[in-house]
Amino acid sequence: MKFLWSLFLSLPITVFAQTTFPGIDISLGSPAYGINFKTNFGQSGGWARGYNISNQDGTERLVAFGAFGRMDNGVSKINFAYIGRDYNDTFMTFLPNGYVGVGTVSPKEMLSVNGNIRAHQIKVETTNWPDYVFNDEYQLPSLAETEKFIKANKHLPEIPKADEVESKGVDLGEMNKILLKKIEELTLYMIDKDKRIQALEETVKGLKK
């Protein structure tokens, strides 16, 4: 056995430079991708190909990578590639447009996760942070205007409605901007009210004298 292994290691690498099997091309030169799995299917219908790692007797599939697709007039098209146990039991899926899904085969964004995410830190990049609320030219809505809007719409201005959040989700970066803006506006309201209270207290003191 040691002799055979030594002989294998001593073989020149060019022996494996270009090898073709039924449905498989292996190349260390050109093309650059190294291994090509050909997809020779029929004229119509769906197809799936997976390359699996199983337990020692082949009774349990541990992990697989592959693809699932269809045939259009004899031309194979891909629906998604996957990592999982099978095309219908996936851990991650990859759409032709670059979208990646975890726990879902139909991601709606560059990354869609059907489940919980745990992280030590999440950083969201955004622009137009609402410090402009403190600029002198900013027109702070009156509380009467805000009350009128709430009575008509049952939510704060700029805050999405509940059914919209349930159907479309929330953009965390945009929502943080909106919430900060509301906090800053609330702070300005409180400062104004505090000034008014102090002025009334001074008036009361003068009346008492």
Side-chain angles (χ1 to χ4, degrees):
M1 185 66 182
K2 289 183 179 180
F3 171 76
L4 292 175
W5 181 246
S6 300
L7 180 62
F8 174 79
L9 292 177
S10 66
L11 290 174
I13 193 63
T14 53
V15 172
F16 307 99
Q18 183 71 48
T19 306
T20 300
F21 301 96
I24 302 175
D25 289 337
I26 300 176
S27 174
L28 301 180
S30 179
Y33 43 72
I35 300 177
N36 176 43
F37 295 95
K38 297 177 182 177
T39 55
N40 297 321
F41 307 110
Q43 292 295 309
S44 62
W47 58 264
R49 287 293 185 274
Y51 307 93
N52 312 313
I53 298 175
S54 301
N55 62 352
Q56 62 273 20
D57 57 4
T59 57
E60 182 181 357
R61 182 176 297 174
L62 303 177
V63 67
F65 68 93
F68 172 76
R70 64 197 185 281
M71 296 298 297
D72 291 339
N73 297 321
V75 179
S76 57
K77 305 291 185 179
I78 187 172
N79 289 1
F80 60 81
Y82 67 88
I83 298 174
R85 293 190 181 92
D86 204 342
Y87 73 92
N88 58 2
D89 185 11
T90 65
F91 306 148
M92 296 182 68
T93 56
F94 309 88
L95 299 190
N97 62 2
Y99 284 14
V100 178
V102 179
T104 175
V105 297
S106 55
K108 301 297 190 298
E109 307 286 347
M110 287 298 295
L111 176 63
S112 295
V113 179
N114 182 20
N116 297 332
I117 299 175
R118 176 176 295 183
H120 291 290
Q121 182 177 351
I122 297 177
K123 183 176 290 186
V124 178
E125 296 182 359
T126 187
T127 58
N128 199 29
W129 203 242
D131 286 349
Y132 56 81
V133 171
F134 297 132
N135 293 339
D136 293 337
E137 61 271 18
Y138 179 73
Q139 296 295 317
L140 184 67
S142 69
L143 289 176
E145 292 172 334
T146 302
E147 180 186 22
K148 183 178 179 180
F149 183 92
I150 292 173
K151 286 183 177 180
N153 299 278
K154 307 304 179 185
H155 64 89
L156 282 172
E158 301 178 86
I159 300 294
K161 296 185 293 184
D163 56 354
E164 182 179 345
V165 173
E166 291 174 2
S167 62
K168 298 181 180 179
V170 173
D171 183 322
L172 291 180
E174 189 64 25
M175 181 55 67
N176 279 338
K177 285 167 53 178
I178 295 173
L179 292 177
L180 177 61
K181 181 179 179 180
K182 296 307 173 186
I183 291 173
E184 291 176 343
E185 289 178 343
L186 181 59
T187 301
L188 292 177
Y189 289 133
M190 294 178 66
I191 291 173
D192 180 68
K193 295 302 180 186
D194 185 64
K195 290 180 178 179
R196 292 173 181 268
I197 291 172
Q198 289 184 23
L200 288 173
E201 289 177 346
E202 293 297 325
T203 301
V204 171
K205 287 180 181 179
L207 291 174
K208 286 183 177 180
K209 289 181 180 180

